[in-house]
Amino acid sequence: MSLGSLPPDSNHGGGGVGAGRNVFTTLILPSLARPDFVGSDPVGSDTVGSDPIGSDTAGNGVQKEQASSSPGPTPGPSPITPVTEPDRPAPPSRSPPSASPAVALGPSTECVTAYDYLSANGTFTEFLQIVEAAGLADLLKDPSQVAMLFVPTPSAFESIFTGVDLTVSSLIKDKELLSAIVDFHVAPNYALRPAQLTNNLQIPTLATDQLITVFVPLGSPVAFGGAQGYAIASTLETLTLCDVVAYVLDSVLISSAADAILVSQGKVAASG
């Protein structure tokens, strides 16, 4: 309370000079004569930052402050009424959040990855062997991976291997041809389902500059093609594995790059 806001003396009808002097002498002067604790706050209203307790409502102080304006014994504690502050929300925790399991972006937080499904199925042994040899197993194990995966059946591998004189073992040893074939069966960053595919759509793959062409024949399952002269691969089944859309195919897809390697090795004749 400042001096200019002293209340009038109710016993003198608004208070004259004498009344103001009595109030000043009785209420204010003794308080001003007594030194307060460290800080610039008025007597009896110490707040946080001027003394350690921050609740010196009676002007006597509950604890000795960091320094005193005059030496001498610390005044004894006097009863005070605790100041009740309005409820405040608890401050946010500063401790790091606890680790949480990875959350898949697919249709379920407990989705089955492409690798887990193909491994458990037991049918796609050849495909998994060449995928692992090409170093792409981790991609198929990642539940957050968005991709289209083209998975030939065992009979599809048998057919192409017979035609170009290859086996799984010989293909794994030929790193250049292995990469050209496996990379052409993965289209990262795309997860298009059959209803989203249109005729002659071209899909980029992991194989650099190699595109898969989509065919949507009327009344037949969607099909996919690579280099000219090779069989068009028809879809036998479509699987949603986390964020990977897998197409099970009846033929192996051969890219133009893989075809060029096979021609250079004399395994196939150059196309006219």
Side-chain angles (χ1 to χ4, degrees):
M1 180 182 296
S2 64
L3 294 178
S5 61
L6 283 174
D9 189 339
S10 60
N11 294 329
H12 291 80
V17 174
R21 184 180 298 111
N22 289 339
V23 172
F24 180 84
T25 304
T26 302
L27 300 178
I28 304 304
L29 189 56
S31 298
L32 294 179
R34 179 177 53 76
D36 188 29
F37 299 102
V38 175
S40 59
D41 51 325
V43 175
S45 60
D46 290 75
T47 56
V48 175
S50 65
D51 63 69
I53 296 301
S55 58
D56 183 17
T57 57
N60 295 318
V62 178
Q63 289 187 0
K64 183 178 180 180
E65 297 194 36
Q66 297 175 353
S68 176
S69 58
S70 62
T74 302
S78 60
I80 61 173
T81 302
V83 176
T84 302
E85 296 185 355
D87 292 338
R88 298 180 181 178
S93 173
R94 294 180 180 272
S95 59
S98 58
S100 57
V103 177
L105 300 180
S108 170
T109 57
E110 297 180 356
C111 62
V112 177
T113 66
Y115 187 89
D116 289 342
Y117 175 84
L118 297 175
S119 298
N121 184 277
T123 302
F124 306 100
T125 305
E126 293 84 357
F127 183 73
L128 282 178
Q129 284 181 308
I130 64 174
V131 163
E132 290 175 345
L136 297 182
D138 286 345
L139 184 148
L140 272 61
K141 293 177 182 179
D142 184 359
S144 66
Q145 180 66 51
V146 177
M148 295 171 71
L149 187 66
F150 303 94
V151 186
T153 61
S155 59
F157 278 108
E158 182 180 357
S159 176
I160 191 68
F161 285 166
T162 301
V164 298
D165 191 24
L166 277 174
T167 64
V168 171
S169 297
S170 62
L171 177 60
I172 289 174
K173 292 176 182 177
D174 188 339
K175 298 301 181 183
E176 183 182 19
L177 182 59
L178 173 68
S179 178
I181 290 178
V182 176
D183 288 358
F184 195 55
H185 287 75
V186 181
N189 305 318
Y190 295 90
L192 300 176
R193 291 165 173 78
Q196 298 172 292
L197 299 174
T198 57
N199 200 44
N200 293 322
L201 176 69
Q202 293 191 314
I203 303 172
T205 66
L206 273 181
T208 305
D209 298 327
Q210 303 298 299
L211 306 176
I212 290 176
T213 302
V214 177
F215 299 97
V216 186
L218 184 63
S220 299
V222 64
F224 304 93
Q228 290 185 353
Y230 294 89
I232 300 298
S234 295
T235 301
L236 301 176
E237 186 179 7
T238 305
L239 306 168
T240 299
L241 306 169
C242 295
D243 274 345
V244 171
V245 178
Y247 291 86
V248 179
L249 306 179
D250 63 358
S251 297
V252 175
L253 295 170
I254 301 296
S255 65
S256 297
D259 175 62
I261 295 172
L262 292 170
V263 169
S264 69
Q265 295 177 349
K267 294 183 180 299
V268 297
S271 59

